[in-house]
Amino acid sequence: TTETTSSTLSTTSLSTTSVTSYIPISAVLRGCFGIAVNAPSVFMAVPEAKDAIKEAVANAAGPEVLTAYVQDVLFQQGEACVSRRLSTFRRLQSSLRADYVIVIPATPATESLGGAEAIGGRAKNAIELLSNQQATALLMESLNRFSSLRNFTASVTSIGSVRLQTAVDPLIIPSGGYERVIEAEQKVDNSAAIAALIACTALLLTAVICGTAFLIRRQLKIAAIEESEVYPGSLDEQDTGHIPSAPPTTPIERLTGGLPTSLGPSANESVQDGHPQNECSL
């Protein structure tokens, strides 16, 4: 009897799935409406007033912007928006100003419409091209939807320019309104400019100090070289062995200027024939 053993080799295939992740970018729009309304302080105290403004802003931004995208509204009584349609940038008189923030999120719905930034660009153009009469009609339509606001008569007197930015997190306007946000951003820009100016000034001052020190050292070196050429060295630094020594002088020689003081032979003359010569001869 022959036993046969069979073995089965099973192969397991491993599949690799690559996942691409991205950071959702939201579009943020900031702007304001200048509104003239009867009894502005009473109007701002009504809880539905902000809801009416949010609805009017969403309608002004176009059909792609939902009312839920209008995140915040801030009222300021007695101020108006700066309208860039006026060449003088003057402020129009209004009962109050309504600052708003629109945050368009990065969702599948907004991605299907071209993305949050593209929707934000279209909304910005729609608001800035809107006339005051058209904005007033949208505002009154929103007010009439709330029973608590039907007794108010409002009109839009100015439409501020819209600032479009992209951000990872939604940005909500702080207390102070739309133009206060612009002033805060300008202060940040000014601080960066001042810091850059201080750094450049410090570098320039350092370069001036180093240049001045280099010139001083150079002048001192040139002066030392010139002095060494005029005064090559002291006597003790030179080789004095080649300098002839002057013969010693007596006080009489200094008075006579080196002339002989006697007519006869000097004391060191030799004696001829062993006999001294007479001092004088006839």
Side-chain angles (χ1 to χ4, degrees), residues 26-38:
S26 301
V28 182
L29 295 88
R30 299 191 187 106
C32 65
F33 284 163
I35 303 173
V37 62
N38 58 318

Side-chain angles (χ1 to χ4, degrees), residues 27 64 113-123:
E64 298 176 336
L113 297 174
E117 186 174 2
I119 297 175
R122 293 191 288 269

Side-chain angles (χ1 to χ4, degrees), residues 127-209:
I127 295 174
E128 291 182 340
L129 293 176
L130 198 68
S131 65
N132 292 346
Q133 292 76 14
Q134 293 172 332
T136 299
L138 294 175
L139 177 60
M140 288 303 301
E141 182 181 354
S142 298
L143 295 180
N144 292 330
R145 294 180 184 275
F146 299 90
S147 58
S148 59
L149 300 175
R150 292 174 182 172
N151 295 328
F152 293 96
T153 301
S155 62
V156 177
T157 58
S158 61
I159 301 176
S161 60
V162 181
R163 292 172 60 89
L164 172 62
Q165 294 177 323
T166 56
V168 177
D169 296 325
L171 301 179
I172 305 301
I173 54 176
S175 177
Y178 166 70
E179 294 180 1
R180 303 303 187 274
V181 173
I182 298 178
E183 293 175 0
E185 293 175 350
Q186 290 177 349
K187 289 181 179 179
V188 173
D189 295 338
N190 293 337
S191 300
I194 292 174
L197 180 61
I198 293 175
C200 293
T201 304
L203 292 175
L204 180 60
L205 183 59
T206 303
V208 170
I209 293 175

Side-chain angles (χ1 to χ4, degrees), residues 27 29 50-73 100-113 116 119-120 122-123 127 142:
L29 295 88
K50 289 187 176 182
D51 295 333
I53 298 298
K54 289 181 180 181
E55 184 177 330
V57 170
N59 292 332
E64 298 176 336
V65 178
L66 305 179
T67 305
Y69 293 169
V70 184
Q71 296 290 325
D72 196 10
V73 172
Y100 62 85
V101 171
I102 302 175
V103 179
I104 302 175
T107 62
T110 57
E111 290 295 330
S112 64
L113 297 174
I119 297 175
R122 293 191 288 269
I127 295 174
S142 298

